[in-house]
Amino acid sequence: MIRTLLIANRGEIACRVARTARAMGMRTVAVFSEADADAVHVRACDEAWPIGPAPATESYLRADVILDVARRAKADAVHPGYGFLSENAGFARSCEEAGIVFVGPPSSAIDAMGSKAGAKALMAAAGVPLVPGYHGEDQSPECLAEEARKIGFPVLLKASAGGGGKGMRVVAAESELAAGIEGAAREGMASFGDGRLIVEKYLQRPRHVEVQVFADRHGNTLHLFERDCSAQRRHQKILEEAPAPGLDPALRQAMGEAAVAAARAVGYVGAGTVEFILDESGSFHFMEMNTRLQVEHPVTELITGLDLVDWQLRVAAGEPLPLRQGDLVIRGHAAEVRLYAEDPARDFLPQTGPLIRLRFPEGEGIRVDSGVEEGGAVTVHYDPMIAKIIAHGRDRTEALARLAMALGRVEVVGVTTNAGFLKRLVEHPEVVAGAIDTGFVGREIGTLAPSGESVPADILALAGLAEMLTLDAGAKAAAARTGDPRSPWARADGWRLNDTAHHDLVFMDGAAEVPVRMTFEGAAWTAAIGDSRMCLTGRLGADGALESRIDGVRRAATIVRDGDRRSVFTDGRGWSVRLHDPLAEIGDAAEESGRLVAPMPAKVVRVAVEVGAVVARGTLLMLLEAMKMEHSITAPVDGVVERIAVEPGDLVEEGAELVVFATAAAEAVAS
Ligand code: ADP
């Protein structure tokens, strides 16, 4: 029996595990880094212990410190969540040796599945179908290149120790091979401390279909159906659904049986996921096994009506699985998306910042798993995921419709998110038709993440109306204080002696200035924006709620003010503009074309040029690493490198100067 459970993780998964453990009557113990002292997961548990500084390597990845806390807090078991130490065989082994139950498989099973190479060898022996490829010992670039040629291009290079799409490179032709091998090995080394690679045939237009398995210590192993995670960007999952759309029941059964065979082959215990790639002909091939709970486990919970953490904790306590294969049925359909602090219009650059407003939708069939709250922040230290938005419906159409509606009601102010991108994805006709492959998002990125979209006039009109109503409320309050509510100075309707009653506002939509003239006429405002005129009335309630009519049509919105920023949420979308204050002169002349600054807090991995180098537009200048992903900094124009302000290994803040170069135009004048 588990009385005290230590949760060796943070964020939404720590909150998720705590919820079930507490429901099962366990005492829960959280661990937290210095950055997480006030985090939601800390408050979700009965007790919380500090484990070190913010960087995960000094806190959440410190197996020794966490184990010491487990002993001192008298924990019977440790739940590792996902990420961090969840697939660390050494940590699982230390728990086993300390007599503390590791909520997961035996360390031997993690070891067996820990390397993609080793796992493929085992699976071949167990008769599980594989993607054709090379997973041998010889790691010389010559050998890898030779194997790639044998397989035939395109090939996919994968870090054997990899996960989360890191350390993967598609190589389309011989000419890209050497750079691909170097890049994948470097990323594998940086992310996992292991640069070994495997080579696979790169399948065209495949689907990613994975099977949830569960095993107990009494020899029972079963599967909880599949999830389709084909909506991916750069091999990272974006949308996950269960069951897989259109999967034939015979294929479902065959994949389920293969997954169970894979789990049995390594003596698996607990929750695990066997990932398959399904090719166009309908054949499936083993990719890897994740020996932990997955980020996307909620969709399986919703279609089976089960709590997978409850099952994990029961299995960890030595109980047999509560159901048999034949007892399991699929109920309806579920879909999940990952809401991230990132900017789709700027190549999905991770965002950090305060969560000034954070509101999630509620409603029939909607579930939100989050580990942050309004007033908190997304920091550079951890993954920028804000929440998982999950919807369940009687069928796929209903589940996707609910998910789209829920996404339209998310309100985040303070960081840019991918909510709009996710909504467009979920509503895309091909997604709705259930016919997408893993390349779909990449091919459609232009429509899914359009850049340079301008804020529509009606949104600016609403923002203008909210300004007027706020001014009006302020003026009325001031008049009430002076005791003369009839004073013309207490009117905010733009009333002026000898002038028409108007206010001129200037909103900044990105870099574009948009003048909005608000004129008060009788009982309503007219907003003049370019050639359009809108008649507006409205009332501003608590918490930014704006009840308005635009040309007679009722329109509900939420307006959030934060400094000069105005965020408008309406009709299932959010927009953000800045109110230009003409008094605050913007001295942004520093943004010259020849100066490149860090787009986010990051680590400099490599500097690819030297001072004096003549570079063409698009030339790689340096590689940065942020959030464990590499980002290339390229020359925005032709020029000569004048100064390099950083060295490999440097940690840079957002906005820090990286490279200064004279542009070709300036050079031409000088010479
Ligand atoms: P990771 O462990 O980093 O998640 P996986 O091996 O699970 O890596 O692969 C991640 C994704 O990459 C898969 O979901 C799939 O979309 C794509 N992928 C993997 N192997 C292949 C392949 N051989 N051909 C085409 N796409 C692949």
Side-chain angles (χ1 to χ4, degrees), residues 589-611:
E591 275 307 301
E592 292 152 18
S593 61
R595 186 169 164 267
L596 278 179
V597 299
M600 75 211 111
K603 184 170 156 192
V604 180
V605 180
R606 190 154 73 88
V607 177
V609 287
E610 285 173 5
V611 171

Side-chain angles (χ1 to χ4, degrees), residues 116 156 158 163-165 200-201 203 208 232 235 275 288 438:
K116 291 188 203 284
L156 182 61
K158 293 185 185 176
E200 280 181 4
K201 175 86 198 144
L203 300 177
H208 172 119
Q232 305 184 345
H235 310 299
E275 295 190 335
E288 64 165 352
T438 59

Side-chain angles (χ1 to χ4, degrees), residues 16 20 24 214 301 306-315 322:
R16 159 78 194 90
T20 294
M24 292 170 78
F214 240 105
E301 296 190 318
L306 301 171
D307 179 330
L308 299 199
V309 175
D310 175 282
W311 274 35
Q312 281 191 301
L313 294 170
R314 286 179 191 282
V315 166

Side-chain angles (χ1 to χ4, degrees), residues 103-118:
V103 182
S107 55
S108 54
I110 304 180
D111 267 333
M113 289 296 187
S115 97
K116 291 188 203 284

Side-chain angles (χ1 to χ4, degrees), residues 113-335:
M113 289 296 187
S115 97
K116 291 188 203 284
K120 285 185 81 169
L122 268 171
M123 292 303 108
V128 179
L130 301 182
V131 187
Y134 172 75
H135 47 268
E137 288 288 316
D138 188 345
Q139 289 289 311
S140 65
E142 299 75 38
C143 168
L144 293 171
E146 184 50 35
E147 292 293 341
R149 275 176 222 119
K150 266 196 244 161
I151 296 163
F153 296 101
V155 297
L156 182 61
L157 302 168
K158 293 185 185 176
S160 184
K166 288 163 203 151
M168 290 191 20
R169 290 281 193 285
V170 180
V171 176
E174 175 79 41
S175 59
E176 300 167 9
L177 193 54
I181 292 174
E182 196 224 307
R186 187 184 50 239
E187 210 168 294
M189 197 67 209
S191 300
F192 316 105
D194 183 343
R196 281 176 295 170
L197 302 179
I198 64 169
V199 191
E200 280 181 4
K201 175 86 198 144
Y202 187 61
L203 300 177
Q204 302 296 317
R205 304 206 166 210
R207 287 168 67 183
H208 172 119
V209 179
E210 58 184 36
V211 179
Q212 175 72 54
V213 293
F214 240 105
D216 63 21
R217 295 215 195 100
H218 307 275
N220 305 303
T221 306
L222 45 79
H223 71 85
L224 273 58
F225 313 111
E226 77 287 349
R227 295 182 285 257
D228 188 318
C229 315
S230 299
Q232 305 184 345
R233 197 183 74 86
R234 299 198 178 150
H235 310 299
Q236 298 202 56
K237 298 164 186 169
I238 299 172
L239 162 70
E240 300 107 346
E241 342 180 10
L247 198 77
D248 159 316
L251 185 54
R252 169 169 300 126
Q253 191 179 340
M255 293 181 79
E257 284 167 6
V260 167
R264 284 192 195 281
V266 293
Y268 204 79
V269 175
T273 295
V274 182
E275 295 190 335
F276 295 106
I277 192 153
L278 187 61
D279 69 22
E280 284 176 294
S281 72
S283 331
F284 62 93
H285 316 269
F286 171 86
M287 278 194 293
E288 64 165 352
M289 181 168 187
N290 289 315
T291 54
R292 54 172 164 81
L293 199 65
Q294 301 271 95
V295 176
E296 58 272 24
H297 76 273
V299 291
T300 299
E301 296 190 318
L302 292 176
I303 62 154
T304 56
L306 301 171
D307 179 330
L308 299 199
V309 175
D310 175 282
W311 274 35
Q312 281 191 301
L313 294 170
R314 286 179 191 282
V315 166
E319 292 179 32
L321 291 175
L323 297 177
R324 289 167 196 279
Q325 191 68 59
D327 301 331
L328 294 163
V329 280
I330 298 177
R331 288 193 193 84
H333 194 92

